[in-house]
């Protein structure tokens, strides 16, 4: 495929990215999380099934983040030296995360780690109402994480639908002798 035939693909994706940025304030999602989820859709293999697994992994990541924070607090209240409580909570929770490889639909473990990282980021970066309980903060971050993830996955699926359709249109035309893969044949 010549570059002139290829350029509609990056133009379409750039348009999608711009639209995402424009609609972010209207729909209340967080674009940096959506961009990560969009990338995770591609890392997961670009299928709807793996998109669902990514979404479930983001949810699982949020839940394990809460488990780590609550577990560390519980262990700290039991007298463990500050720091040790967090390390032990992480150790215990990660056993469960890696074991998710044996649970259908929850076995895309990479998305658990990305979801957990994003959740921790939200907990540190987000603004919460004065006097909000920790559980209200968890809830606000969870909703924002999942809503943003859904947008990213939808945009990722849209990219795949467009690119698949477009490449089929281009491939029904004569082979492109200028493309390196065709020239090597």
């Amino acid at each position: 495929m010549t570059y002139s035939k290829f350029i509609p693909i990056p133009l379409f994706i750039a348009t999608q990215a711009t639209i995402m940025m424009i609609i972010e304030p209207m729909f209340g999602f967080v674009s940096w999380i959506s961009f990560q989820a969009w990338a995770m859709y591609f890392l997961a293999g670009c299928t709807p099934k793996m998109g669902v697994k990514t979404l479930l992994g983001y949810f699982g990541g949020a839940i394990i983040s809460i488990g780590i924070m609550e577990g560390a607090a519980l262990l700290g209240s039991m007298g463990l030296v500050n720091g040790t409580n967090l390390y032990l909570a992480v150790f215990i929770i990660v056993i469960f995360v890696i074991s998710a490889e044996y649970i259908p639909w929850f076995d895309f473990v990479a998305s658990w780690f990305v979801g957990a990282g994003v959740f921790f980021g939200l907990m540190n970066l987000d603004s919460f109402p004065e006097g909000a309980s920790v559980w209200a903060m968890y809830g606000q971050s969870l909703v924002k994480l999942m809503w943003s993830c859904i947008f990213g996955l939808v945009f990722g699926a849209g990219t795949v639908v467009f690119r698949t359709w477009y490449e089929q249109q281009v491939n029904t035309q004569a082979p492109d002798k200028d493309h390196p893969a065709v020239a090597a044949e």
Side-chain angles (χ1 to χ4, degrees):
M1 174 183 315
T2 62
Y3 188 72
S4 64
K5 289 181 181 177
F6 173 76
I7 192 66
I9 295 169
L11 288 172
F12 178 79
I13 296 169
T15 301
Q16 280 186 289
T18 303
I19 290 169
M20 180 183 285
M21 299 299 295
I22 291 168
I23 68 171
E24 176 184 20
M26 291 181 264
F27 289 96
F29 63 93
V30 181
S31 60
W32 64 267
I33 298 171
S34 297
F35 280 113
Q36 282 187 335
W38 189 347
M40 286 297 293
Y41 188 78
F42 289 96
L43 292 171
C46 301
T47 66
K49 178 181 179 181
M50 289 306 292
V52 171
K53 286 184 176 191
T54 299
L55 185 67
L56 292 172
Y58 268 57
F59 181 77
I63 299 305
I64 64 161
S65 297
I66 293 168
I68 288 169
M69 289 183 274
E70 290 297 310
L74 176 66
L75 292 168
S77 72
M78 298 168 80
L80 286 179
V81 177
N82 196 20
T84 305
N85 56 335
L86 177 62
Y87 308 144
L88 185 54
V90 168
F91 179 83
I92 292 166
I93 294 294
V94 169
I95 292 170
F96 290 104
V97 172
I98 301 303
S99 296
E101 288 184 11
Y102 284 89
I103 303 171
W105 292 99
F106 292 92
D107 55 353
F108 186 42
V109 173
S111 64
W112 286 67
F113 283 95
V114 173
V118 172
F119 188 84
F120 280 123
L122 282 173
M123 289 296 295
N124 288 313
L125 299 173
D126 216 350
S127 59
F128 300 102
E130 184 72 31
S133 73
V134 69
W135 286 99
M137 292 187 282
Y138 292 158
Q140 178 180 320
S141 295
L142 177 63
V143 168
K144 197 174 282 188
L145 169 69
M146 298 311 295
W147 185 237
S148 302
C149 180
I150 289 167
F151 270 86
L153 294 171
V154 167
F155 274 70
T159 301
V160 171
V161 167
F162 171 78
R163 187 167 185 160
T164 301
W165 171 82
Y166 179 75
E167 287 179 347
Q168 286 174 348
Q169 303 308 306
V170 171
N171 288 337
T172 59
Q173 299 169 1
D176 181 3
K177 293 182 176 130
D178 295 331
H179 190 279
V182 175
E185 293 177 351

